[in-house]
Every structure is written in C-alpha cells, then in structure tokens.
Amino acid sequence: MMDPSKSLSEENGTENGWNFESATNSEDGFHSSQESITNKSLSKNDNQVNGHGNHGNGIGNSGSHDNNKINNHHISTDDTGNGNGEKVDKNVSKFSNVEFPSNEYDDCDTARVDISIEVTESSSLLNNSMDGECEVDEKVNKKNLKNLTLEKTWLEVPGRSIRRADSSDEPSGKSPPLENITLEVPQVSFAKNEQKFDEVRSPMFRSPSLQRLWSVLSQTDDMEVKKKEKELHLKIFVGCLFLVIVGGVIGIYVVYRQHLLEMELGKSIRFNEDTRVLTVTSGGDPLYGHLGVNLPYPMLPMDCALNQNKSNEVCLRWKGFAQMKITYSRHEKGVKCYRVSWSSLSHTWQPKDCYGLGGGHWYGGAIMKQSQAWPIDNVVLNESAYVSGYGEFGSVTERLWVSSQGISISVDSDIPLFISQNSAGNKQLCFASKPMHPYYAGFQDQDLQLKYTVCSTSNSVQLLRFLRMQKSVLKRYPNVHIMKKPIITLDFKKVNLSQELGKIQCLSKNFSDNGLSLCENFHFELRNWQAINGDLNIGKQAELGLEDLRAKGCSVVLDVDTFADISSQAFKEGALKGYWVRDAGGEVVGLMRWNNQTEAVLDVTNPPAVNWFLHRLTHLRDRYNITSFKFSSGEIRRLPKYGQFFNKMVDLNNYTTQYIVMTTRLQGGNKAATQVDTAFSTQNITQYTSVSVPMKDGLRTVIPKVLTYSVLGYHFVIPEMDFMHSNTQVLPDKNLYIRWIQIMAFLPVMKFSNTCKFDSHTNQIVSDLITFHQNFTVPRILNMEKDVIKNGDPIIRPIWWLAPKNEDAQKIDNQFLIGDTIMVAPVVDTVSRQRRVFIPNGKWTRRDLGLSMLDQVTGPKWVNYRVPIDSVLFFTSD
C-alpha cells in the first residue's frame, strides 16, 4: 500500500486524500494507486464520467475482472441506517479520479451515498477487499448495469461498520454486478454552497482528506449550478430571439399584405386580402368597400402583376374565379383616383362590389320616376338593371355618385350594371355586372367585367369641378331664346279644339291686362299634334291652332318622338328599308306596346335611318315655321326586348347617347333649340333637359330633382309638373300653382299651363313672377356663362356649395343657390305661410320681388321667416 500522505496520482498534481476533477467529454474511472478500473466511465448526460478509487484495498478492479455488462444500475441509500445519522439532500456534481486514503477508514467509518450513476463501459464495480474487516451490504439482482445517470446524493451516518452481505457466497477476488449498494461513513453534515463542514460525532472528520472532499464538492456544485444557469439563460435567450424573429417576419408579412395598396397606391387606400375590404380616405370619414362579395371565403388571391416594379398598380387573382386590378393616378389640386377593374375567369361568376353609405352624405345617381331624395343616403332600391325607365329609375341614369366627404364613384358606361341600395338594411350601395335583360343581347359573347373609378380630394366641390373637367364641357350656352320667354303647353289629344283656342284667347287677355303681350312673351308647346304617330303630319285640330298661333306671330315648339304606329305610312316605309330596331332574332321589326298603341322605334345607330327621320322633321319645321322641337323618347325602357341594332351595341346606354347626338342636328344655328327628356353622358351637348315632377309628390321633390341634375352636370333643366299634361279641365290647387311658379321664376326656363281660369289675383302673381324671371334671373344666369364654361360649375347649386363641410348644409333639400350670390328658399307646400331658413357663411340681404332690401342677416345660422302666398324668400350676397 502507498503511504497515505502521498498522492496516488502525482501526474495529475493531486495531494493526498480525495481528489476530484471535473471533466467534460473525458473518461474517468474508479482508480487505485495499486490498480484502476480500466476504460471505466461514469457520467451525467453530457458524457462526463465519474468514479471512485481506493488507495488501498477498496473499490476497484484487482486482477479479477467481471466481463458482464453493467446496465441500468441504481446505487441508492436506505433510510434505515444504524441510527443517529443526519441527511443532507445535495445535487451531485461530475467528478473523476477519486482516491481513498486507507488510513481514513481504519475504523470502517463510512459514508452512505444514494446515487444513480451512468456506466458507459462494462467493468466489475467492486472487489471483495477492504482489509477483510469491512463488508459491503449488497442488494443484488444479478444484473449487468450500464448507462446510469447520476442524480442525487444522500449523506448520513448510520454506524461504524461496513459489511458486504453475502461475501462468503462470492468467489474470492471477484465482485458480482450490483444494483443497489450501500456505503457508510462517519456521521457528517454538509452545508450546501459552503466550503466547510461541521464535526458532529468524531474528531476524525477534521481530516484534510474530508475537508478537501467537501471543498471540491462545493466548488464543483457551484460551477455546475452556474453553468446550468448560463445554459438555461442562453436557451431562453435563443428561444426568445427565435420567437421575436418569427413574429417579426409574420408581422411584417401581414402588415405588408394588408397595407400593400397603401404603400404602393398613394397612401389613401388600403385593401385587406382576407376580408376583401377596401378603405379609401380623404380627410373625413373613410369609405369602406366590400369587394368581390360573390367570391368564396376564405380564399386568398395570388399576385398577378406582370411588372413588379410598377408602383401604381396592383393585380390580384382568385384562381378559377376572377382577377382584380387597382391602378392609382394622381391629379392636380390633390385629387387621387383609383381605378378598380374586375374580370371574370368563370362563366358562372359575376363581379359585385358594395360600398358603405355611412360617414357622409351621398348625391347623384339616377333621376327617379317618383319622389327624389336629397341626399340619397336612405333610399331603398332592390337590385335592378341600371338603365333609364327600368324599375324605379326615371329618364336619366348617370353612373356617378358623390359623397360629402369628397369621394366619388363613377362606373364605366360599357358595363351591364345592376345596382341595389339599402336593400338588406345595411346602408350599402352595391354594383353588380350581369349579362341579363336588358343587357343580354349585347353582352352574351363578352367577357364579364366590372370597372369603375374611385376619386378623392379635400371636399365635394373641388371633386365635382375635377370630374366635370375630365369630360368635354359646354362650349357655349344653348339658345337663350328659350330662357327669355316662358313655355305654355297646349295638349290636343282628346281635347276640343275650341277649348284650346279659347285658352289661347284667355291667356292673351289676362297677360295683356298685366302688361304682357302673349306672343312676345311666351312660347307655345304643342303636344299630341300628329294625326297618326310617326307620319309627322299635323292633325286638323292642331293645324287650326297652329295657324292661329302663327297668325299672331307666336313661337311654337313641337313635341316629337321616334316612334311610328304600325298603321302609319312611316312604319311601312321604314320596315322596308330597315330603319326600325329589330327583334331578338334580328329578322323582323321589334314592336313595343305603348299608350295602348303598337309601335316601332327608330334605330338611331343606322345613319340612313337617322337621315330619313331628320329630313322629314326639317321639312315640317320649315313649312310651319317651328321654333324648336322637344324630344320625348330615348329611354331604354322603350326599346324592344333583346332588340338588335344596325351597329351592334355592347352598352344599351349608348342608344340614349346617340339619340341625343341626333337631336343636335336640328338646332339649325342660334335660332333653334331642342329639349330632351333623357340623357346619358351628354353633359357637353348644348341642350335643355326636361324633368317630370309628379303632382302627387307635391313641390318637395322639385328642388331635389333639379339639384341632382346639376350635380350630374346638366345645367339647363326644365321641370314639368303633371298638371301641365292633364287632358282634364280640373284646375290644380291655386296655392300649389302659385308656389310652383315661384320656384320656376328662379330656374333657367319657366314652363306651365292651365292658367286661364284662375282669378285675377293669381294671374297678377304669375305675371309679376314672369317679369321678375325675365328681368332678374335670366340676366344673372347669362352673366355666369364664362364661369360655367370654364370650371364646369352648375348654375343651380346646393347650399353646401358654399359650405362643403357643414352638416346642416349637406342635408338641406328645400333651398338652392343661383351661382354663389343668390340664395332661394321657397315654400314647398300649399298651406305654410312661414319657414325656417339656413343662412350660409357671410352677410346676406333679404329682398322682395321688386329687389327692395328687407333686412340683412349674417350666417351661418337658422332664421324663421313669415312667407305670405304672394311672396318668395330669396337673398343676395355682395
């Protein structure tokens, strides 16, 4: 045996006693100064190998070698020691090259250790030595143990003797494979994380070997804890960094996709691909559009842009359904426009987009058959083809809607457009493209598309000016001869000629008594004057009335249309020459039932047919010295179903446009002027536009209809109330009639009828209003011509034209402006003798019909006024 005072391993520079060396990825074993366990490795999970060596007889391999594999070997303590031991729960660190000086265990005082170890190579763990006096208590299952994990150590002092049970049963010099082994040491207490130990029982524990043992254990334990903490912190840091990176990438992707259009298209528009919501901002409340509402959910699009570097365009494709492209353009005065184009990729998919009507007020769209709303926010419309005369739509269906927030939507004219509004109570205006009646004939062979443009700027006034200038504006006013004299209507249908001639005489007397010469101050518009509709021959009764008017030198306007009764000579001639619109088969004339008559309609896309019709009208005009014509047809509703045209039309609205273009060829210079009942994209054509006002809706719908025309770009509007066309002798309510004339006195053209049998007071009121119109209204309208031509500003303007952001002004439907300096606030019912008036910004002077100043008021504010039946409220601003 070696001297206990000497190190068993001088090569490693160790002192006498216990020597522990922490090892990483090294092999350590139970090691003795006399002999060591060869190729022995005990380790924790990081392949570190730990073990014991006995300097004398002890744990080791002494010549005899057990070749059985050691596997799953658990070495543990038993809580039943010899009595007075004290336990300390302590994490076991990695160590190696353990050496036991034999003199420390002369009395066989031993330590009891409960550990789990990992044995990486097979070896006999114990021999039968220990000076023959001490025995090791073995609990043997006769197993080979390998790859055991070092976990926890228990130290206690159960007694003074160590015996190996069943040692007599084992051959000398050979130790069996063990599963449970108990080692005992004298009682000692270890304090965790402190480099000291306390004596409890025996003075021998002041031994340098045990001090060194505890010192190494403590230091190694601290190092292990710190290392584990560092490893844990590193793992946490790496994990967090990974999550941050992944989250950042996802966030950037989401933000990029959600704000793709915001980044690339002017920063006023956003499109969310998941919800397909388009958001347009213009300084006020945003506009929300739900695009592709017929696409299935959830379905994300693919990028279909051919030029990835094109920053003003985004293209998205929903495979098998549709492709959408949004293009951005910027214009002067801060106007930004976004063109949305849908193309169907399937024969069954139909584009449909809906826009919310909240966050502002909306104007424009169609002239309605019945009452007109201003603004149109609360109008309810079930889905219908958006063409003139269909459903609830009247004679004008422009594809332009404007918001008080400075946002507009304009749909292309070549789209088979269906619209609905508030039909589901959702405050939405929806646009759909459908190849259905009445569009089917034109669109059955076309790729289905939906195309429109959304524009935005600071306010609605600037936006309307921009939109007007994008189209060809008026080059001049229409013939002002129509403006300067009111139009009186005469209807010869089922009316006794003597009654109509008597009306003329009555009117002449009444107005002469009030200082007005009949023919010098009026136009006469003749209705239902043809003997057979289509032949353009004046009937006998109408001809007599016409001759009487001509004899007096009166101006005559003839009401005409492009229909021909099947009993007329014109029908037969036109059928032979192919001048009428054909039916769906394209072989025969398409017929319409209208006013209990069966009629054909002129094909205005056929140049020879147009020339034939205009030639006959010109002959009539020259023969009877006709001043002008009023054209009462042109609506899509009055075309044969699925009608075929000389020039195939994809867009039926083009029929109305070509119809209006045809009428301009009859103007014949400055002496002629035409009136039309319909319009479509013809704002640049010089003409007067008539609008029908149902008498049952009263006066409240007159101003909304006129304002809607103005917003759509039609400046010269002539309202006509039903009683003008009545064939009965029942007079309208006198108060209604007077209030009607009061409104007409501030519009470009006055038109009325049935005045002959009213009392003299009523006739005097009407005469005064006619004089006021001629002397005050018409000159001011004529003075506005340069501004109207230059800027496209309307003549008749809404109150919000002076206060685009004022909520009160945006909702006013019973006041209007003539230019920026005249404000009119008529009474729009038959019984009221007072009304509340909104005064815009600035100082306004209230005047009477003689233009005398009544008072002044400064706005913006509301003011109540008394309004007798013979007066009308209007104000001027200098």
Side-chain angles (χ1 to χ4, degrees), residues 40-55:
K40 183 80 182 153
S41 171
L42 298 172
S43 71
K44 204 170 179 181
N45 290 335
D46 54 359
N47 296 326
Q48 295 182 352
V49 181
N50 312 309
H52 287 142
N54 193 310
H55 195 52

Side-chain angles (χ1 to χ4, degrees), residues 25 31 62 80 87 108 127 132 134 144 227 264 267 283 308 351 457 579 634 655 688 778 780 823 825 837 858 874:
N25 295 326
H31 177 74
S62 168
T80 62
K87 293 195 294 186
C108 294
N127 60 26
C134 301
N144 294 330
K227 183 175 181 181
E264 295 187 352
K267 296 186 179 180
Q308 298 294 336
T457 189
Y579 291 163
Y655 178 88
Y688 292 94
V778 172
R780 280 158 178 77
M823 182 180 70
V837 179
T858 301
F874 77 99

